Each structure stands twice: as structure tokens, then as C-alpha cells.
PDB file of all heavy atoms in Angstrom:
ATOM      1  N   LEU A  23      29.063  -8.097  13.392  1.00 91.00           N
ATOM      2  CA  LEU A  23      27.952  -8.201  12.452  1.00 91.00           C
ATOM      3  C   LEU A  23      27.889  -7.073  11.507  1.00 91.00           C
ATOM      4  O   LEU A  23      28.072  -5.930  12.011  1.00 91.00           O
ATOM      5  CB  LEU A  23      26.577  -8.184  13.254  1.00 91.00           C
ATOM      6  CG  LEU A  23      26.417  -9.423  14.262  1.00 91.00           C
ATOM      7  CD1 LEU A  23      25.210  -9.245  15.068  1.00 91.00           C
ATOM      8  CD2 LEU A  23      26.455 -10.793  13.407  1.00 91.00           C
ATOM      9  N   PHE A  24      27.822  -7.326  10.246  1.00 91.00           N
ATOM     10  CA  PHE A  24      27.682  -6.304   9.270  1.00 91.00           C
ATOM     11  C   PHE A  24      26.233  -5.633   9.428  1.00 91.00           C
ATOM     12  O   PHE A  24      25.281  -6.367   9.744  1.00 91.00           O
ATOM     13  CB  PHE A  24      27.910  -6.789   7.846  1.00 91.00           C
ATOM     14  CG  PHE A  24      29.308  -7.167   7.609  1.00 91.00           C
ATOM     15  CD1 PHE A  24      29.660  -8.435   7.631  1.00 91.00           C
ATOM     16  CD2 PHE A  24      30.260  -6.165   7.339  1.00 91.00           C
ATOM     17  CE1 PHE A  24      31.020  -8.871   7.424  1.00 91.00           C
ATOM     18  CE2 PHE A  24      31.614  -6.519   7.125  1.00 91.00           C
ATOM     19  CZ  PHE A  24      31.997  -7.883   7.211  1.00 91.00           C
ATOM     20  N   GLN A  25      26.113  -4.392   9.112  1.00 89.00           N
ATOM     21  CA  GLN A  25      24.912  -3.697   9.147  1.00 89.00           C
ATOM     22  C   GLN A  25      23.963  -4.304   8.096  1.00 89.00           C
ATOM     23  O   GLN A  25      24.290  -4.476   6.965  1.00 89.00           O
ATOM     24  CB  GLN A  25      25.150  -2.216   8.911  1.00 89.00           C
ATOM     25  CG  GLN A  25      23.887  -1.400   9.008  1.00 89.00           C
ATOM     26  CD  GLN A  25      24.165   0.077   8.818  1.00 89.00           C
ATOM     27  OE1 GLN A  25      25.251   0.575   8.844  1.00 89.00           O
ATOM     28  NE2 GLN A  25      23.139   0.876   8.613  1.00 89.00           N
ATOM     29  N   VAL A  26      22.719  -4.459   8.508  1.00 88.00           N
ATOM     30  CA  VAL A  26      21.782  -5.028   7.545  1.00 88.00           C
ATOM     31  C   VAL A  26      21.015  -3.853   6.932  1.00 88.00           C
ATOM     32  O   VAL A  26      20.640  -2.938   7.554  1.00 88.00           O
ATOM     33  CB  VAL A  26      20.672  -5.902   8.194  1.00 88.00           C
ATOM     34  CG1 VAL A  26      19.720  -6.445   7.315  1.00 88.00           C
ATOM     35  CG2 VAL A  26      21.385  -7.074   8.940  1.00 88.00           C
ATOM     36  N   THR A  27      20.997  -3.786   5.578  1.00 86.00           N
ATOM     37  CA  THR A  27      20.299  -2.814   4.866  1.00 86.00           C
ATOM     38  C   THR A  27      19.120  -3.396   4.058  1.00 86.00           C
ATOM     39  O   THR A  27      19.209  -4.474   3.544  1.00 86.00           O
ATOM     40  CB  THR A  27      21.196  -1.990   3.903  1.00 86.00           C
ATOM     41  OG1 THR A  27      21.822  -2.999   3.004  1.00 86.00           O
ATOM     42  CG2 THR A  27      22.351  -1.319   4.585  1.00 86.00           C
ATOM     43  N   PHE A  28      17.984  -2.638   4.170  1.00 85.00           N
ATOM     44  CA  PHE A  28      16.947  -3.116   3.392  1.00 85.00           C
ATOM     45  C   PHE A  28      16.620  -2.082   2.282  1.00 85.00           C
ATOM     46  O   PHE A  28      16.641  -0.929   2.490  1.00 85.00           O
ATOM     47  CB  PHE A  28      15.634  -3.107   4.303  1.00 85.00           C
ATOM     48  CG  PHE A  28      15.779  -4.085   5.398  1.00 85.00           C
ATOM     49  CD1 PHE A  28      16.082  -3.756   6.680  1.00 85.00           C
ATOM     50  CD2 PHE A  28      15.473  -5.415   5.181  1.00 85.00           C
ATOM     51  CE1 PHE A  28      16.241  -4.680   7.672  1.00 85.00           C
ATOM     52  CE2 PHE A  28      15.639  -6.402   6.090  1.00 85.00           C
ATOM     53  CZ  PHE A  28      15.999  -5.996   7.401  1.00 85.00           C
ATOM     54  N   PRO A  29      16.416  -2.490   1.027  1.00 86.00           N
ATOM     55  CA  PRO A  29      16.155  -1.584  -0.053  1.00 86.00           C
ATOM     56  C   PRO A  29      14.849  -0.823   0.066  1.00 86.00           C
ATOM     57  O   PRO A  29      13.881  -1.467   0.503  1.00 86.00           O
ATOM     58  CB  PRO A  29      16.200  -2.531  -1.269  1.00 86.00           C
ATOM     59  CG  PRO A  29      15.810  -3.863  -0.797  1.00 86.00           C
ATOM     60  CD  PRO A  29      16.396  -3.931   0.696  1.00 86.00           C
ATOM     61  N   PHE A  30      14.861   0.479  -0.162  1.00 88.00           N
ATOM     62  CA  PHE A  30      13.569   1.237  -0.113  1.00 88.00           C
ATOM     63  C   PHE A  30      12.934   1.066  -1.392  1.00 88.00           C
ATOM     64  O   PHE A  30      13.425   1.331  -2.520  1.00 88.00           O
ATOM     65  CB  PHE A  30      13.910   2.702   0.170  1.00 88.00           C
ATOM     66  CG  PHE A  30      12.741   3.661   0.068  1.00 88.00           C
ATOM     67  CD1 PHE A  30      11.780   3.546   1.130  1.00 88.00           C
ATOM     68  CD2 PHE A  30      12.564   4.418  -1.009  1.00 88.00           C
ATOM     69  CE1 PHE A  30      10.699   4.331   0.993  1.00 88.00           C
ATOM     70  CE2 PHE A  30      11.419   5.197  -1.094  1.00 88.00           C
ATOM     71  CZ  PHE A  30      10.472   5.182  -0.061  1.00 88.00           C
ATOM     72  N   THR A  31      11.627   0.675  -1.360  1.00 89.00           N
ATOM     73  CA  THR A  31      10.860   0.587  -2.532  1.00 89.00           C
ATOM     74  C   THR A  31       9.557   1.454  -2.197  1.00 89.00           C
ATOM     75  O   THR A  31       8.746   1.150  -1.331  1.00 89.00           O
ATOM     76  CB  THR A  31      10.383  -0.912  -2.758  1.00 89.00           C
ATOM     77  OG1 THR A  31      11.476  -1.694  -2.733  1.00 89.00           O
ATOM     78  CG2 THR A  31       9.598  -0.970  -4.044  1.00 89.00           C
ATOM     79  N   PRO A  32       9.440   2.575  -3.000  1.00 88.00           N
ATOM     80  CA  PRO A  32       8.335   3.429  -2.734  1.00 88.00           C
ATOM     81  C   PRO A  32       7.020   2.764  -3.051  1.00 88.00           C
ATOM     82  O   PRO A  32       6.911   1.930  -3.937  1.00 88.00           O
ATOM     83  CB  PRO A  32       8.521   4.669  -3.720  1.00 88.00           C
ATOM     84  CG  PRO A  32       9.535   4.107  -4.633  1.00 88.00           C
ATOM     85  CD  PRO A  32      10.290   2.972  -4.090  1.00 88.00           C
ATOM     86  N   SER A  33       5.981   3.102  -2.250  1.00 86.00           N
ATOM     87  CA  SER A  33       4.611   2.507  -2.414  1.00 86.00           C
ATOM     88  C   SER A  33       4.033   3.008  -3.759  1.00 86.00           C
ATOM     89  O   SER A  33       4.102   4.229  -3.926  1.00 86.00           O
ATOM     90  CB  SER A  33       3.688   2.899  -1.223  1.00 86.00           C
ATOM     91  OG  SER A  33       2.456   2.443  -1.482  1.00 86.00           O
ATOM     92  N   PRO A  34       3.409   2.241  -4.445  1.00 89.00           N
ATOM     93  CA  PRO A  34       2.706   2.688  -5.661  1.00 89.00           C
ATOM     94  C   PRO A  34       1.333   3.323  -5.351  1.00 89.00           C
ATOM     95  O   PRO A  34       0.710   3.972  -6.201  1.00 89.00           O
ATOM     96  CB  PRO A  34       2.436   1.488  -6.504  1.00 89.00           C
ATOM     97  CG  PRO A  34       2.455   0.299  -5.466  1.00 89.00           C
ATOM     98  CD  PRO A  34       3.343   0.748  -4.415  1.00 89.00           C
ATOM     99  N   HIS A  35       0.941   3.282  -4.081  1.00 86.00           N
ATOM    100  CA  HIS A  35      -0.311   3.819  -3.661  1.00 86.00           C
ATOM    101  C   HIS A  35      -0.054   5.164  -2.971  1.00 86.00           C
ATOM    102  O   HIS A  35       0.928   5.370  -2.188  1.00 86.00           O
ATOM    103  CB  HIS A  35      -1.044   2.924  -2.626  1.00 86.00           C
ATOM    104  CG  HIS A  35      -1.200   1.532  -3.158  1.00 86.00           C
ATOM    105  ND1 HIS A  35      -2.054   1.117  -4.157  1.00 86.00           N
ATOM    106  CD2 HIS A  35      -0.541   0.377  -2.808  1.00 86.00           C
ATOM    107  CE1 HIS A  35      -1.946  -0.075  -4.405  1.00 86.00           C
ATOM    108  NE2 HIS A  35      -1.055  -0.640  -3.686  1.00 86.00           N
ATOM    109  N   ALA A  36      -0.923   6.112  -3.174  1.00 86.00           N
ATOM    110  CA  ALA A  36      -0.909   7.411  -2.576  1.00 86.00           C
ATOM    111  C   ALA A  36      -1.290   7.259  -1.164  1.00 86.00           C
ATOM    112  O   ALA A  36      -2.339   6.891  -0.784  1.00 86.00           O
ATOM    113  CB  ALA A  36      -1.897   8.423  -3.206  1.00 86.00           C
ATOM    114  N   LEU A  37      -0.232   7.477  -0.207  1.00 79.00           N
ATOM    115  CA  LEU A  37      -0.555   7.267   1.199  1.00 79.00           C
ATOM    116  C   LEU A  37      -1.634   8.131   1.822  1.00 79.00           C
ATOM    117  O   LEU A  37      -2.286   7.729   2.762  1.00 79.00           O
ATOM    118  CB  LEU A  37       0.744   7.453   1.980  1.00 79.00           C
ATOM    119  CG  LEU A  37       1.866   6.500   1.709  1.00 79.00           C
ATOM    120  CD1 LEU A  37       3.163   6.787   2.470  1.00 79.00           C
ATOM    121  CD2 LEU A  37       1.403   5.041   1.902  1.00 79.00           C
ATOM    122  N   GLU A  38      -1.846   9.281   1.180  1.00 80.00           N
ATOM    123  CA  GLU A  38      -2.877  10.228   1.761  1.00 80.00           C
ATOM    124  C   GLU A  38      -4.309   9.694   1.538  1.00 80.00           C
ATOM    125  O   GLU A  38      -5.271  10.137   2.145  1.00 80.00           O
ATOM    126  CB  GLU A  38      -2.782  11.653   1.279  1.00 80.00           C
ATOM    127  CG  GLU A  38      -2.774  11.794  -0.237  1.00 80.00           C
ATOM    128  CD  GLU A  38      -1.354  11.546  -0.869  1.00 80.00           C
ATOM    129  OE1 GLU A  38      -0.444  11.397  -0.152  1.00 80.00           O
ATOM    130  OE2 GLU A  38      -1.329  11.641  -2.104  1.00 80.00           O
ATOM    131  N   LEU A  39      -4.400   8.753   0.589  1.00 82.00           N
ATOM    132  CA  LEU A  39      -5.712   8.173   0.277  1.00 82.00           C
ATOM    133  C   LEU A  39      -6.070   6.858   1.015  1.00 82.00           C
ATOM    134  O   LEU A  39      -7.187   6.374   0.870  1.00 82.00           O
ATOM    135  CB  LEU A  39      -5.838   7.837  -1.293  1.00 82.00           C
ATOM    136  CG  LEU A  39      -5.566   9.058  -2.231  1.00 82.00           C
ATOM    137  CD1 LEU A  39      -5.634   8.613  -3.590  1.00 82.00           C
ATOM    138  CD2 LEU A  39      -6.612  10.081  -1.916  1.00 82.00           C
ATOM    139  N   ILE A  40      -5.127   6.401   1.754  1.00 82.00           N
ATOM    140  CA  ILE A  40      -5.255   5.091   2.532  1.00 82.00           C
ATOM    141  C   ILE A  40      -6.200   5.412   3.686  1.00 82.00           C
ATOM    142  O   ILE A  40      -5.975   6.315   4.468  1.00 82.00           O
ATOM    143  CB  ILE A  40      -3.964   4.463   2.946  1.00 82.00           C
ATOM    144  CG1 ILE A  40      -3.195   4.009   1.589  1.00 82.00           C
ATOM    145  CG2 ILE A  40      -4.198   3.284   3.836  1.00 82.00           C
ATOM    146  CD1 ILE A  40      -1.876   3.417   1.933  1.00 82.00           C
ATOM    147  N   GLN A  41      -7.222   4.529   3.971  1.00 83.00           N
ATOM    148  CA  GLN A  41      -8.061   4.634   5.077  1.00 83.00           C
ATOM    149  C   GLN A  41      -7.677   3.471   5.984  1.00 83.00           C
ATOM    150  O   GLN A  41      -7.610   2.250   5.662  1.00 83.00           O
ATOM    151  CB  GLN A  41      -9.569   4.353   4.619  1.00 83.00           C
ATOM    152  CG  GLN A  41     -10.108   5.478   3.818  1.00 83.00           C
ATOM    153  CD  GLN A  41     -10.177   6.785   4.479  1.00 83.00           C
ATOM    154  OE1 GLN A  41     -10.433   6.808   5.697  1.00 83.00           O
ATOM    155  NE2 GLN A  41      -9.732   7.870   3.828  1.00 83.00           N
ATOM    156  N   VAL A  42      -7.391   3.867   7.316  1.00 82.00           N
ATOM    157  CA  VAL A  42      -7.069   2.952   8.377  1.00 82.00           C
ATOM    158  C   VAL A  42      -8.374   2.339   8.959  1.00 82.00           C
ATOM    159  O   VAL A  42      -9.059   3.129   9.566  1.00 82.00           O
ATOM    160  CB  VAL A  42      -6.192   3.605   9.397  1.00 82.00           C
ATOM    161  CG1 VAL A  42      -5.739   2.518  10.472  1.00 82.00           C
ATOM    162  CG2 VAL A  42      -4.903   3.974   8.679  1.00 82.00           C
ATOM    163  N   PRO A  43      -8.700   1.076   8.939  1.00 86.00           N
ATOM    164  CA  PRO A  43      -9.917   0.535   9.510  1.00 86.00           C
ATOM    165  C   PRO A  43      -9.843   0.811  11.038  1.00 86.00           C
ATOM    166  O   PRO A  43      -8.891   0.629  11.703  1.00 86.00           O
ATOM    167  CB  PRO A  43      -9.835  -0.907   9.147  1.00 86.00           C
ATOM    168  CG  PRO A  43      -8.816  -1.051   8.044  1.00 86.00           C
ATOM    169  CD  PRO A  43      -7.833   0.062   8.197  1.00 86.00           C
ATOM    170  N   SER A  44     -11.023   1.080  11.531  1.00 86.00           N
ATOM    171  CA  SER A  44     -11.263   1.366  13.017  1.00 86.00           C
ATOM    172  C   SER A  44     -10.954   0.154  13.805  1.00 86.00           C
ATOM    173  O   SER A  44     -10.535   0.131  14.998  1.00 86.00           O
ATOM    174  CB  SER A  44     -12.612   1.923  13.357  1.00 86.00           C
ATOM    175  OG  SER A  44     -13.586   0.972  12.911  1.00 86.00           O
ATOM    176  N   SER A  45     -10.997  -1.081  13.196  1.00 91.00           N
ATOM    177  CA  SER A  45     -10.781  -2.370  13.911  1.00 91.00           C
ATOM    178  C   SER A  45      -9.348  -2.434  14.364  1.00 91.00           C
ATOM    179  O   SER A  45      -8.939  -3.240  15.215  1.00 91.00           O
ATOM    180  CB  SER A  45     -11.229  -3.513  13.023  1.00 91.00           C
ATOM    181  OG  SER A  45     -10.489  -3.625  11.873  1.00 91.00           O
ATOM    182  N   PHE A  46      -8.431  -1.710  13.661  1.00 90.00           N
ATOM    183  CA  PHE A  46      -7.044  -1.621  14.078  1.00 90.00           C
ATOM    184  C   PHE A  46      -6.754  -0.931  15.366  1.00 90.00           C
ATOM    185  O   PHE A  46      -5.742  -1.042  15.959  1.00 90.00           O
ATOM    186  CB  PHE A  46      -6.049  -1.107  12.991  1.00 90.00           C
ATOM    187  CG  PHE A  46      -5.905  -1.933  11.782  1.00 90.00           C
ATOM    188  CD1 PHE A  46      -5.318  -1.468  10.661  1.00 90.00           C
ATOM    189  CD2 PHE A  46      -6.333  -3.315  11.681  1.00 90.00           C
ATOM    190  CE1 PHE A  46      -5.132  -2.191   9.579  1.00 90.00           C
ATOM    191  CE2 PHE A  46      -6.242  -4.047  10.590  1.00 90.00           C
ATOM    192  CZ  PHE A  46      -5.545  -3.521   9.451  1.00 90.00           C
ATOM    193  N   ARG A  47      -7.810  -0.146  15.807  1.00 88.00           N
ATOM    194  CA  ARG A  47      -7.707   0.555  17.109  1.00 88.00           C
ATOM    195  C   ARG A  47      -6.414   1.523  17.068  1.00 88.00           C
ATOM    196  O   ARG A  47      -5.621   1.407  18.008  1.00 88.00           O
ATOM    197  CB  ARG A  47      -7.705  -0.328  18.352  1.00 88.00           C
ATOM    198  CG  ARG A  47      -9.003  -1.152  18.449  1.00 88.00           C
ATOM    199  CD  ARG A  47      -9.093  -1.815  19.826  1.00 88.00           C
ATOM    200  NE  ARG A  47     -10.410  -2.392  19.935  1.00 88.00           N
ATOM    201  CZ  ARG A  47     -10.602  -3.643  19.979  1.00 88.00           C
ATOM    202  NH1 ARG A  47      -9.562  -4.498  20.103  1.00 88.00           N
ATOM    203  NH2 ARG A  47     -11.882  -4.199  20.035  1.00 88.00           N
ATOM    204  N   LEU A  48      -6.229   2.258  16.001  1.00 87.00           N
ATOM    205  CA  LEU A  48      -5.151   3.175  15.921  1.00 87.00           C
ATOM    206  C   LEU A  48      -5.676   4.619  15.906  1.00 87.00           C
ATOM    207  O   LEU A  48      -5.226   5.463  15.158  1.00 87.00           O
ATOM    208  CB  LEU A  48      -4.445   2.879  14.631  1.00 87.00           C
ATOM    209  CG  LEU A  48      -3.702   1.482  14.555  1.00 87.00           C
ATOM    210  CD1 LEU A  48      -3.116   1.302  13.225  1.00 87.00           C
ATOM    211  CD2 LEU A  48      -2.648   1.328  15.660  1.00 87.00           C
TER     212      LEU A  48
END
């Protein structure tokens, strides 16, 4: 099997501004 590679696409959103909802229990 050849190694599967996934292209990296940077997020257009600033990750430090993302709020994780408490319903995710994380």
C-alpha cells in the first residue's frame, strides 16, 4: 500500500478565537 497523504489547508479562522461549546464535554 502506498502512503496516503492529505493536503494541508490552513484554517481561515483564527484558532485562538474559537469557543468550544460545553455540550461537547471537552
Side-chain angles (χ1 to χ4, degrees):
L23 298 174
F24 290 101
Q25 182 177 350
V26 178
T27 56
F28 297 98
F30 173 73
T31 309
S33 174
H35 307 289
L37 296 179
E38 58 273 358
L39 300 177
I40 294 178
Q41 295 294 321
V42 179
S44 60
S45 61
F46 286 172
R47 296 192 176 115
L48 296 174

